[in-house]
Amino acid sequence: MGGKLEKIRHCGEKGKWEKLESFTKSSDAEIRAAAYEALGNIPKDESNNILIAGIADPQPSVRLAVAKALARVGTDHNEEQIKHQLAAETDAGVQAALREAMIAVRGKR
């Protein structure tokens, strides 16, 4: 799996959001989380849309990666999706990260 994680990291550094999107569909939560984390390094509308799609992933570790990535590249357009997930979130760590993302995205365009 180390090879896949390295490839994901490299795609994030190169801004290859299209390739990262395919990794977000993996059955492996670690791969999905790494892909969402890497998308947090690509400040583009496309990567932002992929992040929003992952905000309700069944695994808390993946939702945590999405929340942290949104804090870096999210915009105020994401505020409603973050609020919605925060209201439904059951994991305390993810709740905290979503609150941080909410603060980070306010006022960003």
Side-chain angles (χ1 to χ4, degrees):
M1 183 168 336
K4 276 189 182 180
L5 295 176
E6 181 62 27
K7 184 174 183 176
I8 290 168
R9 186 190 62 73
H10 181 71
C11 287
E13 290 173 354
K14 297 294 183 183
K16 297 183 177 183
W17 61 267
E18 307 97 330
K19 292 191 185 234
L20 291 171
E21 183 176 26
S22 67
F23 287 112
T24 67
K25 295 168 178 36
S26 173
S27 61
D28 186 314
E30 184 178 6
I31 295 296
R32 292 194 313 275
Y36 287 120
E37 182 179 328
L39 283 162
N41 297 322
I42 306 171
K44 293 190 175 285
D45 289 342
E46 295 86 356
S47 58
N48 192 283
N49 292 337
I50 298 165
L51 286 167
I52 287 301
I55 202 167
D57 190 277
Q59 290 295 320
S61 61
V62 177
R63 295 193 306 275
L64 181 62
V66 171
K68 288 180 177 182
L70 281 170
R72 292 194 307 275
V73 298
T75 68
D76 61 350
H77 297 294
N78 303 126
E79 192 170 345
E80 284 305 313
Q81 293 100 334
I82 295 170
K83 277 185 195 177
H84 178 75
Q85 183 61 32
L86 186 55
E89 187 57 59
T90 57
D91 184 273
V94 178
Q95 287 173 345
L98 287 168
R99 282 190 207 95
E100 289 178 25
M102 180 73 73
I103 292 166
V105 302
R106 285 193 172 138
K108 283 170 117 181
R109 284 226 181 229

